[in-house]
Amino acid sequence: MNYGAIKKNDIANGVGVRVSLFVSGCTHHCKECFNPETWNFDYGAPFTREVEDEIIEALNHDYIAGLTVLGGEPMEPVNQRALVSFYRRVRKTSPKKTVWVYTGYTFDRDLIEGGAVHTDVTDEILSMTDVLVDGEFMIEKKNITLKFRGSENQRVIDVKASLAAEKTILVNLD
């Protein structure tokens, strides 16, 4: 897997100051995507153990609330398989940090067992994810007043509560 960028002090992609990883590869190709260069799976640089180490070190500050993974598309099956061991390391080294994942896929349709991009590691990734922002960006539903998302169809989901309740539970952002 490749990645396009790492932001070590990001305040736009989740609650608090975050370390954000922008992965490469996306098949959604949303109209007016803010990051179309990351559609190409070969964009950027290889996501190596050294890159993982750099991110884990950046998370090791009290003012950092957590990790955000976006793209591109972190839930593309090939990216899921490349990221799962990284998520394990983050959870082991920074257990109190939150993990946010942005995906154009939908939690309760595409990521569930039998869903379009459910893989052998999807359930494990979801178990390590605190917040999932789901749904493709839709220019027709663009709303710049929304917190942490770009269009009204996108949802900010409390993954742990949703998994426990076996239904989608949204995060209260007020």
Side-chain angles (χ1 to χ4, degrees):
M1 181 188 82
N2 280 10
Y3 73 99
I6 299 168
K7 293 185 179 182
K8 295 182 181 175
N9 293 286
D10 188 2
I11 59 170
N13 296 302
V15 174
V17 180
R18 311 189 64 74
V19 177
S20 292
L21 168 65
F22 293 78
V23 302
S24 295
C26 182
T27 58
H28 298 296
H29 299 181
C30 299
K31 183 178 177 183
E32 295 194 35
C33 172
F34 82 104
N35 213 4
E37 61 275 5
T38 63
W39 295 352
N40 183 337
F41 285 84
D42 296 323
Y43 175 76
F47 188 68
T48 63
R49 180 75 175 203
E50 291 76 23
V51 174
E52 287 185 16
D53 292 345
E54 178 184 347
I55 294 169
I56 287 170
E57 177 60 33
L59 287 166
N60 192 22
H61 298 283
D62 291 339
Y63 64 89
I64 297 292
L67 171 70
T68 298
V69 183
L70 60 169
E73 175 57 75
M75 297 308 288
E76 292 287 357
V78 67
N79 288 346
Q80 288 183 48
R81 289 183 181 94
L83 287 166
V84 68
S85 63
F86 171 62
Y87 290 129
R88 290 180 196 132
R89 287 187 69 201
V90 169
R91 281 301 185 200
K92 184 176 181 178
T93 60
S94 301
K96 295 182 179 178
K97 306 289 184 179
T98 59
V99 174
W100 284 50
V101 176
Y102 280 72
T103 180
Y105 294 107
T106 55
F107 176 70
D108 45 6
R109 186 181 69 223
D110 299 318
L111 299 177
I112 60 169
E113 189 170 342
V117 293
H118 186 273
T119 73
D120 57 322
V121 298
T122 305
D123 293 339
E124 183 179 2
I125 289 171
L126 291 174
S127 76
M128 295 184 280
T129 302
D130 296 292
V131 177
L132 184 79
V133 181
D134 82 341
E136 291 186 16
F137 172 74
M138 299 176 83
I139 190 64
E140 303 81 18
K141 295 184 178 189
K142 181 178 179 179
N143 182 339
I144 62 170
T145 67
L146 298 172
K147 291 182 180 176
F148 308 122
R149 58 202 189 279
S151 59
E152 293 172 354
N153 62 298
Q154 294 173 311
R155 304 176 297 176
V156 182
I157 299 169
D158 181 328
V159 177
K160 294 188 185 325
S162 297
L163 293 173
E166 296 183 357
K167 66 178 186 177
T168 303
I169 297 178
L170 302 180
V171 173
N172 182 357
L173 294 172
D174 295 324

